Amino acid sequence: MTDSKKRDMNKSPDISSGNAPTGNRYQLRRAAGVCWLLDMEQPGIPYVKPVSMNEMGADIWELYAQGFTAEKIAEQLGRTYDVPVGQVKEDVYAFLEGLKAQGVVL
């Protein structure tokens, strides 16, 4: 493997790019007002717990999975929830960074 390919593999994804996760690796589940993001490709050992999130987090994930950029997600949710886009943008970036910190491949 060339050095440039090794460097590319080690780059962390740019959450602002709108690069949606491919395939069906992650599935969002909702039940009784709680939402979970499940990794359907985990090996099982060690077990990776589903990521719990609120409705806003679920909305962010669904838009991200459709290929929306963080900026576009903020615009959409700002309109939906009648919240200033700047405020929502901070929340969107924090949420996606939080997913990365929990091991979700973005």
Side-chain angles (χ1 to χ4, degrees), residues 30-68:
R30 298 172 193 249
V34 180
C35 306
W36 297 275
L37 189 63
L38 306 167
D39 182 349
M40 305 307 287
E41 294 180 8
Q42 67 172 300
I45 300 175
Y47 174 71
V48 179
K49 292 182 181 178
V51 177
S52 177
M53 62 188 71
N54 61 18
E55 284 293 327
M56 175 73 86
D59 290 346
I60 293 169
W61 176 259
E62 287 178 330
L63 293 170
Y64 184 77
Q66 292 173 35
F68 283 67

Side-chain angles (χ1 to χ4, degrees), residues 70-89:
E71 182 76 31
K72 294 294 182 187
I73 293 169
E75 290 172 9
Q76 176 69 32
L77 295 180
R79 285 191 300 272
T80 300
Y81 292 100
D82 195 28
V83 178
V85 172
Q87 181 181 339
V88 178
K89 187 175 179 181

Side-chain angles (χ1 to χ4, degrees), residues 3 82 99:
D3 286 336
D82 195 28
L99 287 179

